[in-house]
Amino acid sequence: MGMEPENHKMKALNLLRNRICDPKFIFKDSPEGNYSKLKFMISSSVTEACNNSILLLGPRGSGKVAVLELVIEDLLLQYPDSISLIRLNGLLHSDDISAFKEIARQLCMEHQLLFSKAASFDDNSQFMVAVLKECGLAHKTVVFILDEFDLFAQGKQRLLYSLLDAMQSVTSQAVVLGISCRLDADQLLEKRVRSRFSHRKLLFLPPSMEDSQRLLVHMLTLPIDSSFPHDYAVEFNRKIQECHP
C-alpha cells in the first residue's frame, strides 16, 4: 500500500525545508562551481606538499564563507591529521602585533604548546616561521583564513609579507586564504607582498535572475525515484515548472 496523500505532502515539505537550510545542496551542485575549484586548490596543496595563496572575492552575502566552510569541513574529514587551521579577522586583528599574537596562540593550542602572553612581536613572528617549518617536515598543511582581508592590506602589511615570505621556504607547507568584499583587494598589496602572492582568485558574483530561477526550480524539484510515488512526483514537478517557465 502506498503512502497517504497527506504523508506525501509532509514528506515533500520536510525534504524541501532541509534543502533550503542546507548550503551543501546549493553550493556542491556544479563541478565548475567555486566549491569544486576551491576544494581542488586546497587539496592539491595538502597532497602535493606545496604552498598556495588564494583570494575569495565578492559582495557580502554571495556565499564566500559558506563555500569555504563546506570545503574545510570536507577536507578535515578527508585529511584529519594533515591540516591545521588558523583563523584571523581583519576587524579584530588588523594590526600586526595582535595578529601575530593570535597566530601564536592558535598554533600553541593546535600543537599543545604553552602560549606566552608576554612574547614580543619578533618572538611570535619567529615562532610562526619555526612551526611552519616543523609542520612542513611532518607533511602537515597550515591553512590561514584571513577574513576581511583588505583590512590586513593597510599599513605596512608586515603580517602578509611575513606569511607569504615564510611560504617561499621549501620546508614550509601552508595555504593563505583571503576573504574580502572588495573585488580589487589584490591591488591593495604592496609590490613586495604581491610578488609573493600566487594570484589565484575566485569571484563570487550575485546570480542573474535566470540563474536564481534555475536554482529555485532545482531546489523545489522532487526526486523521481522510490522516495515518492512516481505520479505524485511528476505532477508536483510539473506544477513547479509551470510556476517558473
Side-chain angles (χ1 to χ4, degrees), residues 124-136:
N124 289 328
S125 176
Q126 292 169 11
F127 173 72
M128 179 194 73
V129 173
V131 172
L132 283 179
K133 290 182 179 179
E134 289 297 323
C135 287

Side-chain angles (χ1 to χ4, degrees), residues 121-234:
F121 173 87
D122 290 335
D123 291 337
N124 289 328
S125 176
Q126 292 169 11
F127 173 72
M128 179 194 73
V129 173
V131 172
L132 283 179
K133 290 182 179 179
E134 289 297 323
C135 287
L137 294 172
H139 303 292
K140 188 168 188 175
T141 300
V142 182
V143 178
F144 293 89
I145 299 175
L146 308 182
D147 204 353
E148 305 292 347
F149 177 85
D150 49 288
L151 298 181
F152 290 102
Q154 298 176 355
K156 297 181 179 179
Q157 302 183 11
R158 285 189 294 178
L159 170 68
L160 298 179
Y161 176 78
S162 298
L163 272 177
L164 296 174
D165 189 58
M167 290 165 57
Q168 305 302 308
S169 168
V170 294
T171 57
S172 69
Q173 192 171 329
V175 177
V176 172
L177 292 163
I179 306 170
S180 178
C181 60
R182 290 193 55 165
L183 300 183
D184 65 342
D186 57 321
Q187 299 303 311
L188 303 175
L189 302 177
E190 294 179 353
K191 183 177 179 180
R192 61 173 187 161
V193 177
R194 191 181 300 120
S195 66
R196 289 163 170 77
F197 186 72
S198 301
H199 297 286
R200 290 180 172 85
K201 296 186 291 185
L202 291 179
L203 296 180
F204 291 75
L205 301 177
S208 64
M209 180 64 70
E210 292 77 12
D211 290 338
S212 298
Q213 289 180 343
R214 193 179 304 114
L215 175 60
L216 185 58
V217 170
H218 175 61
M219 293 176 66
L220 297 178
T221 298
L222 295 181
I224 306 296
D225 55 23
S226 58
S227 301
F228 295 92
H230 184 269
D231 292 343
Y232 178 84
V234 169

Side-chain angles (χ1 to χ4, degrees), residues 5-229:
E6 285 302 318
N7 289 340
H8 303 338
K9 294 179 183 178
M10 288 305 300
K11 187 174 181 180
L13 184 61
N14 289 334
L15 173 68
L16 299 181
R17 279 175 175 168
N18 289 335
R19 282 182 179 177
I20 292 172
C21 296
D22 183 9
K24 295 180 182 179
F25 184 83
I26 301 174
F27 294 116
K28 286 188 176 182
D29 185 50
S30 171
E32 298 300 319
N34 284 333
Y35 165 83
S36 299
K37 293 177 182 177
L38 182 59
K39 185 175 182 180
F40 174 77
M41 290 179 186
I42 301 178
S43 61
S44 297
S45 297
V46 175
T47 57
E48 298 174 14
C50 60
N51 297 310
N52 212 338
S53 48
I54 310 161
L55 285 180
L56 312 183
L57 307 177
R60 300 192 188 279
S62 58
K64 303 183 296 296
V65 174
V67 168
L68 174 58
E69 293 301 330
L70 286 176
V71 169
I72 293 298
E73 179 184 343
D74 286 353
L75 292 179
L76 287 176
L77 290 174
Q78 191 172 354
Y79 308 105
D81 301 318
S82 301
I83 296 177
S84 177
L85 283 180
I86 303 296
R87 298 175 182 269
L88 299 179
N89 189 302
L91 296 173
L92 301 174
H93 313 111
S94 59
D95 69 283
D96 299 320
I97 295 177
S98 64
F100 273 108
K101 181 172 290 188
E102 180 61 18
I103 289 174
R105 186 189 70 82
Q106 292 187 37
L107 286 173
C108 285
M109 287 183 61
E110 181 77 18
H111 300 280
Q112 299 180 338
L113 301 172
L114 183 63
F115 170 63
S116 172
K117 293 182 179 180
S120 67
F121 173 87
D122 290 335
D123 291 337
N124 289 328
S125 176
Q126 292 169 11
F127 173 72
M128 179 194 73
V129 173
V131 172
L132 283 179
K133 290 182 179 179
E134 289 297 323
C135 287
L137 294 172
H139 303 292
K140 188 168 188 175
T141 300
V142 182
V143 178
F144 293 89
I145 299 175
L146 308 182
D147 204 353
E148 305 292 347
F149 177 85
D150 49 288
L151 298 181
F152 290 102
Q154 298 176 355
K156 297 181 179 179
Q157 302 183 11
R158 285 189 294 178
L159 170 68
L160 298 179
Y161 176 78
S162 298
L163 272 177
L164 296 174
D165 189 58
M167 290 165 57
Q168 305 302 308
S169 168
V170 294
T171 57
S172 69
Q173 192 171 329
V175 177
V176 172
L177 292 163
I179 306 170
S180 178
C181 60
R182 290 193 55 165
L183 300 183
D184 65 342
D186 57 321
Q187 299 303 311
L188 303 175
L189 302 177
E190 294 179 353
K191 183 177 179 180
R192 61 173 187 161
V193 177
R194 191 181 300 120
S195 66
R196 289 163 170 77
F197 186 72
S198 301
H199 297 286
R200 290 180 172 85
K201 296 186 291 185
L202 291 179
L203 296 180
F204 291 75
L205 301 177
S208 64
M209 180 64 70
E210 292 77 12
D211 290 338
S212 298
Q213 289 180 343
R214 193 179 304 114
L215 175 60
L216 185 58
V217 170
H218 175 61
M219 293 176 66
L220 297 178
T221 298
L222 295 181
I224 306 296
D225 55 23
S226 58
S227 301
F228 295 92

